[in-house]
Amino acid sequence: MSSRPGAAWPLVAVFTAGYLASYLLPTVVGRLSVHLGLSPAQAGLVGSALLLSSAGAGFALAGRVERFGARTPARVGLALAAIGYGCAALAGSVPLVVLGVMVGGFGSGTATAVAAAGIAARRDPHRTSSLGLLTVSATAGVLYLTIPHLGGGHRLPFAAIALVALLVWPATGRLGGATTAEGTTSPITGRLPHRRSGLVLAGGMLVWSMAQNALWGVSSRIGVVQVGLSEVTVGAVFAAALGAGLLGVTGAGLLGARLGRAVPIGLGTVVIAASIVLSSSATDLGSFATGEIMWNTVYPVVLSYLIGLAASLDVRGRWAVLAGSASSVGVACGPLLGSVLSEEAGYPAMGLILGAATLLVAAPVTAVALHTGGRPLVPGSVRRRGGAPAALLAATTGGLPGAVPKLGSPEQAVTELRVPALRRRLVRSAIRTAGPDGGSGQSNAYASTSDR
């Protein structure tokens, strides 16, 4: 990746195209149920198929993006997204829609994997991921304001996702080169670092995302069925909620690492759990809107810190892709889980179950954030509290220049010092053992080295 500041916008564009399908999932599932005659559980299963296909692409590409370069996988992913979702928009039968959805989902996952690997290679992955979430939230908000007024059945949401993929295609021309650390031209080799922390984070993100998307997948039905709102009103609530999410992500980008990662992740997850309970038990417009807006304000903030945390574990982006794919599996299971729980137990009970699961996963994920805080994250470096000494050691012994944290990054700032090579060697006669004449011995030793 280029080290120029402008090099971030192609990644943000590809990130937006890859994430958009999951952001539009409520309207996709709702319209599949209404216009194709599917039951809520069947429509949720189609949404899960889309997201499982996306997760499969992420697992397949983890650690391999740099081998192919960023441009080719991004173009393949965007092409598959445009073709798959375009076919799903044109199809009128359920099997063809499902086939198009799975092809499009694989394309979305490929684009997301490329973006995740590139974001991990940035000097400040949290800032770039925040910008990506800001863009996808804004795009989804505009579509939620527009789609309910245009009709079109299930076709319009799929057509919108395909159109965004086509619009992002020109940005891939700026992605050339391998997605390795900034300032390097060769891939970084070595074993997957921080395996225990990475596995805990990936598992936590799976459960966390499952709980979030279980609510998000049925939020439209909660508004229409339980609260009694029209589709237009529900769309307006979602647009307002995503607009609040823009403010939340902007605030997270400005806050950066001032509070570390553990506080935003832990405290934000508690707020999310309360919002899930409030939204799922709503019986009027005020409580429904409050729950959705509060939830959508905090959800992308926590997600941006989770993405940044995963990216900080490996400069190659392997944990970013693997944790993102695990999150996609959770997202994929969410619509089906939400549909089954809401049908069997009702929306309020579903909210209590999802809120409890969210609280349970907060502890291990926050522990990972605490454990990895201040780590230099340079391959082969020695971990020291605060991070700076080890990063400095790596910088002066042949470490990757782009991998050393710089001022303004989430890690602690370090100052790189140039150490001149030692060209003069001490000779054996210049070194003396300690004895009664230790003082003169030291003087002679220094004199010998200075003479040489």
Side-chain angles (χ1 to χ4, degrees), residues 135-147:
T135 306
V136 72
S137 296
T139 305
V142 171
L143 292 175
Y144 272 117
L145 285 175
T146 307
I147 289 176

Side-chain angles (χ1 to χ4, degrees), residues 174-192:
R174 303 292 297 273
L175 288 179
T179 51
T180 57
E182 289 181 344
T184 64
T185 57
S186 59
I188 306 166
T189 58
R191 298 176 58 189
L192 191 64

Side-chain angles (χ1 to χ4, degrees), residues 3-441:
S3 60
R4 294 175 302 167
W9 73 264
L11 290 174
V12 171
V14 174
F15 182 93
T16 300
Y19 254 77
L20 185 59
S22 61
Y23 267 69
L24 292 182
L25 200 63
T27 189
V28 167
V29 171
R31 290 195 169 214
L32 286 175
S33 179
V34 173
H35 297 281
L36 285 183
L38 300 178
S39 68
Q42 289 172 331
L45 188 59
V46 174
S48 296
L50 185 159
L51 296 167
L52 279 175
S53 181
S54 178
F59 283 121
L61 287 174
R64 296 183 175 88
V65 175
E66 62 192 26
R67 183 184 306 171
F68 307 109
R71 183 183 303 169
T72 299
R75 287 182 170 177
V76 170
L78 293 175
L80 290 176
I83 293 171
Y85 295 127
C87 291
L90 297 174
S93 63
V94 175
L96 290 178
V97 169
V98 173
L99 179 61
V101 157
M102 294 190 69
V103 172
F106 194 88
S108 293
T110 302
T112 303
V114 173
I119 288 172
R122 303 284 299 173
R123 292 190 177 95
D124 191 347
H126 174 257
R127 182 171 299 176
T128 308
S129 63
S130 297
L131 185 58
L133 290 171
L134 189 69
T135 306
V136 72
S137 296
T139 305
V142 171
L143 292 175
Y144 272 117
L145 285 175
T146 307
I147 289 176
H149 297 282
L150 299 178
H154 73 284
R155 305 179 190 276
L156 197 56
F158 289 129
I161 302 171
L163 179 61
V164 170
L166 290 176
L167 291 175
V168 169
W169 175 277
T172 59
R174 303 292 297 273
L175 288 179
T179 51
T180 57
E182 289 181 344
T184 64
T185 57
S186 59
I188 306 166
T189 58
R191 298 176 58 189
L192 191 64
H194 315 311
R195 293 190 177 186
R196 184 180 303 174
S197 297
L199 289 174
V200 172
L201 178 61
M205 288 183 67
L206 189 153
V207 178
W208 187 86
S209 298
M210 185 188 301
Q212 310 309 303
N213 229 52
L215 175 66
W216 187 237
V218 299
S219 288
S220 180
R221 297 208 303 273
I222 292 176
V224 173
V225 175
Q226 181 170 284
V227 184
L229 305 176
S230 65
E231 184 185 7
V232 174
T233 304
V234 171
V237 170
F238 287 164
L242 290 172
L246 296 179
L247 298 177
V249 174
T250 302
L254 295 175
L255 180 64
R258 290 180 177 86
L259 297 179
R261 297 188 184 103
V263 172
I265 290 174
L267 183 60
T269 301
V270 173
V271 175
I272 287 173
S275 303
I276 290 175
V277 174
L278 176 61
S279 180
S280 61
S281 60
T283 56
D284 57 78
L285 176 59
S287 57
F288 177 71
T290 301
E292 290 291 326
I293 290 174
M294 185 167 64
W295 177 53
N296 278 278
T297 300
V298 182
Y299 165 78
V301 174
V302 177
L303 181 59
S304 69
Y305 280 97
L306 289 174
I307 293 173
L309 177 59
S312 71
L313 295 179
D314 179 26
V315 293
R316 287 183 65 183
R318 288 172 291 179
W319 277 124
V321 176
L322 288 172
S325 299
S327 175
S328 296
V329 172
V331 170
C333 298
L336 181 60
L337 176 64
S339 298
V340 172
L341 286 177
S342 61
E343 286 185 350
E344 297 295 330
Y347 295 117
M350 177 202 72
L352 290 174
I353 295 172
L354 297 179
T358 303
L359 286 177
L360 286 176
V361 81
V365 173
T366 304
V368 172
L370 286 171
H371 178 65
T372 58
R375 201 172 263 183
L377 305 174
V378 179
S381 62
V382 180
R383 182 179 188 272
R384 299 186 183 182
R385 190 167 300 276
L392 180 60
L393 176 63
T396 56
T397 55
L400 292 169
V404 180
K406 293 193 174 182
L407 186 62
S409 70
E411 311 303 331
Q412 295 193 13
V414 297
T415 302
E416 184 172 341
L417 300 177
R418 295 186 176 275
V419 181
L422 184 62
R423 297 180 179 179
R424 302 177 177 88
R425 296 184 302 173
L426 296 176
V427 296
R428 182 174 300 179
S429 61
I431 304 176
R432 300 184 179 181
T433 58
D437 59 340
S440 60

